[in-house]
Amino acid sequence: LKKELAELKPDLVHGHLFAGDFGGRLAAHRLGVPYLSTEHNLNYDDGWLKNFVKKIVSGKQDYYVACSLAVSDYMRAVYNIKNEIRLIPNGIELNRFTNLSPITWHNPLRFLMVGRLTKQKGQLVVLSALKKITNHHWHLTIVGSGIEKNNLLDFIRKNNLQDKVEIVESLLQVEKYYGVADVFLMPSVWEGLGVVVMEAMASERVVLISKTGGLIELIQDQETGYFAQPQNILDWEKKIKHIIENKIEAQRLAKNAKIYAKENFGVKKMIEKYDKVYSIIIQ
């Protein structure tokens, strides 16, 4: 990597995620090239070793970006970052989502979750809450893959939910799932930001998400979406029932969410912010 960078002669090296951040940072340091690191998540799954490595390789002259205030706080606490950390939320391609048809309130009501099938994402919390809702018709689609898939399938089978729940592999054209959903659920235990929530809001879906991490920064409770307490099955059941029984209110929140997403979540806005950071670094 150092050899490649020496030939490219960049004015700046910008790294993301652990491997790219680690290798890119060391190569840039050795060549005396400014280095910018973007942190995208609360890396609780990385373990102490990766966190320790990131801490010791962080240079005093490096530049930093976080995708949310929650991630910025994490970087200071875990990596001991003293430098300024600029806040640049990830952007989405709005046109992929804002042109979808609005909610039609299907019967059964269609719920959607999108994300990796891991314990972090909390899919079992939603399944446990939904199985208690027997006086309303509903269907849940889970889009994603990961190490928790078999555990989720076991839960679905043991609770006779095969007709109500389906798990499908993640696709590049995920917007087609937003387009046929009524309510988007994200029960994460922790989350750095939550790009899929941004996509759901831009799609004018009702969003119910965990009150945790960077998710807190995406919506205003009962204005552009709803919060539920992470890992609290009873609270998730209560909030899901509230949406089912208050569809006019929920639809108003979905419309508000789309307006907010169009004003704040576009990739163009993200690019403008990075352009300013790049200009400051290489001036």
Side-chain angles (χ1 to χ4, degrees):
L1 184 57
K2 178 185 173 184
K3 180 181 177 182
E4 292 292 328
L5 291 178
E7 293 176 359
L8 287 170
K9 296 181 174 60
D11 297 303
L12 166 69
V13 176
H14 186 180
H16 305 259
L17 307 180
F18 180 80
D21 198 59
F22 176 71
R25 188 191 303 267
L26 293 183
H29 286 179
R30 292 174 182 175
L31 292 170
V33 178
Y35 185 79
L36 173 64
S37 174
T38 291
E39 196 70 46
H40 294 276
N41 204 356
L42 308 175
N43 299 316
Y44 297 130
D45 281 341
D46 279 356
W48 71 269
L49 182 58
K50 281 189 176 181
N51 287 336
F52 178 72
V53 169
K54 291 195 76 165
K55 181 178 179 178
I56 62 173
V57 300
S58 298
K60 293 182 180 179
Q61 302 305 315
D62 291 340
Y63 300 85
Y64 296 92
V65 164
C67 67
S68 68
L69 287 171
V71 170
S72 177
D73 291 342
Y74 178 89
M75 293 166 69
R76 294 203 183 280
V78 177
Y79 306 142
N80 197 31
I81 303 299
K82 304 296 185 184
N83 302 24
E84 179 183 0
I85 301 175
R86 293 170 174 84
L87 181 63
I88 304 180
N90 296 328
I92 62 173
E93 298 174 50
L94 288 170
N95 290 339
R96 290 178 58 194
F97 308 100
T98 55
N99 294 324
L100 297 174
S101 299
I103 299 169
T104 57
W105 296 119
H106 298 87
N107 187 18
L109 199 67
R110 296 181 183 177
F111 294 94
L112 173 67
M113 288 193 287
V114 178
R116 291 176 292 112
L117 307 184
T118 65
K119 290 183 178 180
Q120 175 197 347
K121 302 299 182 179
Q123 287 98 352
L124 274 177
V125 173
V126 161
L127 287 173
S128 299
L130 282 172
K131 80 168 186 175
K132 294 173 175 287
I133 300 176
T134 56
N135 57 339
H136 297 286
H137 298 294
W138 57 267
H139 183 273
L140 171 65
T141 299
I142 303 174
V143 180
S145 58
I147 59 175
E148 283 294 299
K149 183 175 182 177
N150 288 336
N151 288 337
L152 295 174
L153 290 172
D154 286 344
F155 184 95
I156 292 166
R157 183 174 60 256
K158 290 176 181 177
N159 290 278
N160 297 315
L161 297 174
Q162 296 94 326
D163 294 335
K164 292 188 172 186
V165 182
E166 63 174 337
I167 299 178
V168 297
E169 292 291 320
S170 181
L171 298 173
L172 291 177
Q173 294 180 324
V174 71
E175 57 266 33
K176 82 173 191 177
Y177 292 103
Y178 294 115
V180 296
D182 300 307
V183 182
F184 181 83
L185 307 172
M186 192 164 192
S188 298
V189 182
W190 73 87
E191 200 69 51
L193 182 62
V195 170
V196 290
V197 176
M198 299 161 69
E199 294 173 350
M201 292 172 69
S203 302
E204 201 176 323
R205 305 301 122 174
V206 180
V207 295
L208 171 59
I209 61 180
S210 287
K211 192 174 184 179
T212 187
L215 294 178
I216 295 173
E217 302 168 41
L218 294 179
I219 73 166
Q220 290 180 296
D221 192 27
Q222 301 183 63
E223 289 296 331
T224 52
Y226 299 95
F227 283 128
Q229 295 300 321
Q231 303 185 81
N232 188 323
I233 295 170
L234 290 177
D235 196 38
W236 277 87
E237 178 190 357
K238 175 183 175 182
K239 298 298 172 56
I240 290 171
K241 284 182 177 178
H242 178 85
I243 292 171
I244 293 173
E245 295 167 1
N246 295 273
K247 292 178 180 177
I248 294 176
E249 174 193 275
Q251 193 159 17
R252 175 178 63 82
L253 267 59
K255 291 179 180 178
N256 291 345
K258 182 177 182 178
I259 294 170
Y260 185 83
K262 290 173 72 174
E263 293 175 351
N264 294 278
F265 295 159
V267 68
K268 182 179 179 181
K269 182 163 286 191
M270 179 189 70
I271 291 171
E272 289 172 352
K273 291 181 178 180
Y274 268 115
D275 185 54
K276 289 180 181 178
V277 173
Y278 289 164
S279 298
I280 290 170
I281 295 172
I282 64 177
Q283 64 183 358

